[in-house]
Amino acid sequence: MRQYFINLSFVLCCFFYSNILAAQPKHSDNLQFDSLATRWDEGMPLGNGWLGELIWQKDNKLRISLDRVDLWDDRPMPKIDQLKFKWVVAQVNKGQYDTVHKIGDDPYDRSPAPTKIPGAALEFNYSSLGKVISNVLDIKTALNTIKFGNGAVLYNYVHATDEIGYFEFENMPVSQSGINENSILPELIIPNYNSADIAKDDNSHGGEGLQTLGYKKGTVTKSANSIRYHQPTWNGNYYEVLVQWKKISSSKIIGSWTISNNKKASLPELKNVENKLPGWQSHITWWNHFWAQSSVSLPDSILERQYYLELYKMGCVARSNTPPISLQAIWTADNGSLPPWKGDIHNDLNTELSYWPFYAGNHLETSQSFTNWLWKTKEQNKKWTKHYFEIDGLNVPGVTTITGKEMGGWIQYSMSPTTAAWLTQHFYWQWKYSMDKKFLLEKCKPYFDEVHEYFKKILTIDPVTKKYKLPLDSSPEIFDNSIKAWFHQWTNYDLSLVKSFYKDYIEICKAATGKVPEGVEKERSLLPDLDFNETGLTIAPDQDLFESHRHMSPYMAIYPLNLLDIENQQDSAVIKNSLHQIEKKGTRAWCGYSFSWMASLYARAKEGDSAAKMLQIFSTNFCSINSFHLNGDQKGGQYSDFTYRPFTLEGNFAFAKGIQEMLLQSHKGYVEIFPAIPSNWKDVSFNKLRTEGAFLVSAKKENGVIEEVKVFSEKGGLFRLKLPFKTLYLKGASKKYLFNKAENILEIQMMPGEEIVVKNRYE
């Protein structure tokens, strides 16, 4: 069969070195089953940022659900253009919020579009091949291998860089009359856009049936070796699905598929490549590079496996030129219904959390998909800002279509006055982790400038406090969609975002031009202090966290905004009291992403055991067998009263960030190694995690002792390390260094491309 595939001393040496063999995903980290899943949200996931597929079984046939990231019905949301922020403020002040619901919220629930839409599916009748005996997704190669009882094998993969999916049957049974081609040739299953059948409720929080979109019937054109599906959508748009196959021998068939958007679908001619699937070499080259970017080795096999499964999905859903990671990205529900929450682009927390692990994970090229899209849709967002807020500058809707158009929904969050502030953090991180001067000057600072223009106009002086205020505040998703969800004083969510924006903006201006624009420092000083009491951070003044709640919005100042520091005495008390209050209210109203986010909150408090516990709960209770985050507790409500199963991705990727925060932190201007690992983690390591300042750091702890730290400086600059050793011994240092004994921090100016190694003992 084809094979695919002193006491403690400190030494600092400046030299080029060969990287130690990096830990990589193990065979045990793969998805491995002895059957096919019987639900779409448990299928084997494959993808390349543009195309995605889920491999599962439906009605005793092998089904491959096909999707493309930019398949969207982008029609305007009804009535949404009637909304004005000043009118909303007036209605709230009058206590007449039902009028706002009718325009801002009801259309989202009642209109089937705008929405993400599915592509199609391939089905194979495999009854002649016997039962499935092995179904394995190798995450290192992104190859799914399915073995059947009679010896036949099916290979599937989505090419890493080409918009093509491949499948291959080999070892097919041969009779005297030749292979029974009809039993293994694909059948194209089109979505039920014109069906009268009502989609069954599968507890996935799906919307109405696809037929509510009102599309004209698509056309299917067949030839001896291909099927083409042309589907008209909204307003003259269309997409095509093309599948083709070729008989290579009496026992082998190869095939390919693609989906095009508003253009004719085409595929290159299929050619047999000896001992390889078509395009395999370039595909595997991309994935080898992806896995070489960084790695971790954890003593907890559950957490390590989940981490690598999250990295695998990161490699599936993003490229620098793709749209951002929406709720389900390239894996739209294949159940006959509109996807959960229309599969939209949620800047309420979903996009932000989804990109958290890309930066420290050393995947800056793919993380650009977010900032590139925000830049691309900037003019549309400015147009909305001018229309809705009636001021110049840039804000971004909290819920948008693929082209950045507002979709409404709970408008406290879908039209929040501070969404852009959270999104600017990703421009800041894209620069801070890369130190890319060109990006800083051409995109990062200009984006901040336009958001700053907006804040200068939306913020006004409170005549009582003489400090800045917003016309209305909110804190996702406190009080859900009721009028109580609006606050007349700063919420810590909104205030934290604006304070963080000004902090980052000042740093960016200094880095870009050497100076801060006139008035910016004064504007920052007009922001009030965060509100806290004996319960820690409040939701807003006179409003403590009063119940278990899924969204950690009141605690943004701890993570991800870095406004509070556990090493500061006053901040430490606020952080610890906040965590205690969260614990006191419990997890009964949490979703899966809540546990992932909570892990990073604990990591910032240096509580490694609690952080690991949150991630273990997420892995074991809130994920499908294929690792998809299903929001609800899948073990009958052990930790949460939410027991439904809508698939969204932000919880998965926030999990990966939780692991990174336990292993490495660099947000305070220095690097800290293993700041929040559990007390029983004696053997743990990571390789080439990226820090702010564009340093790649590797570290290893063996038998409870940190053995070494390696650092590569990509762009040069001052590297500051909180020493993990008790004493300092230098040898062969080519650059001057400083040692701040009071803070136990080593400082060394590094050159671009320079590497250093720090060891526990002199050799």
Side-chain angles (χ1 to χ4, degrees), residues 726-759:
K726 292 183 178 180
T727 57
L728 172 64
Y729 180 83
L730 298 179
K731 180 181 179 181
S734 62
K735 296 285 184 282
K736 291 183 178 180
Y737 70 93
L738 294 174
F739 176 50
N740 185 326
K741 189 173 183 180
E743 297 181 4
N744 200 36
I745 291 177
L746 171 75
E747 297 182 354
I748 184 166
Q749 189 71 33
M750 296 185 67
M751 301 295 292
E754 187 176 22
E755 296 171 309
I756 64 172
V757 61
V758 179
K759 286 187 176 293

Side-chain angles (χ1 to χ4, degrees), residues 350-510:
N350 306 79
T351 52
E352 292 92 345
L353 271 63
S354 290
Y355 283 93
W356 277 356
F358 282 76
Y359 307 100
N362 196 23
H363 293 286
L364 292 188
E365 180 181 358
T366 46
S367 69
Q368 290 181 65
S369 66
F370 196 22
T371 50
N372 284 346
W373 176 79
L374 288 168
W375 185 262
K376 181 179 180 180
T377 57
K378 178 166 63 73
E379 293 307 313
Q380 172 63 40
N381 296 155
K382 288 173 64 178
K383 180 180 177 182
W384 169 76
T385 303
K386 182 69 172 179
H387 173 81
Y388 181 63
F389 293 101
E390 300 177 273
I391 57 177
D392 293 325
L394 173 63
N395 193 16
V396 181
V399 179
T400 83
T401 72
I402 194 171
T403 55
K405 297 173 185 174
E406 68 276 18
M407 290 180 63
W410 295 3
I411 67 164
Q412 301 93 329
Y413 327 120
S414 67
M415 295 189 170
S416 164
T418 61
T419 300
W422 198 348
L423 298 176
T424 57
Q425 186 181 46
H426 287 269
F427 279 88
Y428 174 80
W429 277 342
Q430 189 70 35
W431 164 66
K432 193 69 173 179
Y433 280 83
S434 68
M435 301 308 293
D436 184 335
K437 188 79 170 184
K438 185 173 186 289
F439 176 81
L440 171 68
L441 296 175
E442 295 182 1
K443 287 186 178 179
C444 182
K445 184 179 181 295
Y447 198 90
F448 267 81
D449 286 340
E450 299 207 52
V451 175
H452 174 239
E453 185 70 16
Y454 160 78
F455 277 125
K456 282 199 302 182
K457 294 178 172 62
I458 196 72
L459 296 171
T460 59
I461 296 294
D462 186 314
V464 176
T465 65
K466 309 300 182 183
K467 294 285 189 177
Y468 272 146
K469 69 172 185 176
L470 286 169
L472 279 179
D473 290 71
S474 66
S475 187
E477 297 163 349
I478 304 295
F479 294 119
D480 292 338
N481 192 28
S482 69
I483 193 171
K484 292 175 64 178
W486 290 110
F487 292 82
H488 295 279
Q489 299 183 76
W490 280 105
T491 63
N492 273 328
Y493 171 79
D494 282 335
L495 181 56
S496 294
L497 283 170
V498 179
K499 289 174 79 72
S500 177
F501 169 81
Y502 272 96
K503 173 178 67 70
D504 293 345
Y505 186 43
I506 288 170
E507 182 181 353
I508 283 166
C509 290
K510 289 178 179 178

Side-chain angles (χ1 to χ4, degrees), residues 146-190:
I146 301 171
K147 297 181 180 180
F148 300 89
N150 71 349
V153 181
L154 170 62
Y155 299 101
N156 285 284
Y157 80 100
V158 177
H159 195 278
T161 57
D162 298 336
E163 294 178 18
I164 306 173
Y166 289 102
F167 60 89
E168 176 182 316
F169 283 94
E170 66 174 31
N171 295 343
M172 298 296 295
V174 180
S175 64
Q176 291 183 352
S177 60
I179 188 171
N180 182 358
E181 294 183 355
N182 291 330
S183 67
I184 49 85
L185 296 186
E187 179 183 2
L188 186 64
I189 309 300
I190 65 176

Side-chain angles (χ1 to χ4, degrees), residues 295-343:
S295 60
V296 305
S297 179
L298 310 178
D300 187 316
S301 60
I302 293 176
L303 297 189
E304 181 178 291
R305 180 175 187 264
Q306 188 75 35
Y307 181 80
Y308 279 122
L309 287 168
E310 307 311 358
L311 258 64
Y312 167 74
K313 290 195 287 294
M314 286 166 55
C316 287
V317 301
R319 299 292 182 271
S320 63
N321 61 342
T322 57
I325 302 169
S326 60
L327 294 180
Q328 295 87 27
I330 51 172
W331 297 305
T332 303
D334 183 11
N335 59 359
S337 298
L338 298 173
W341 298 286
K342 304 180 189 294

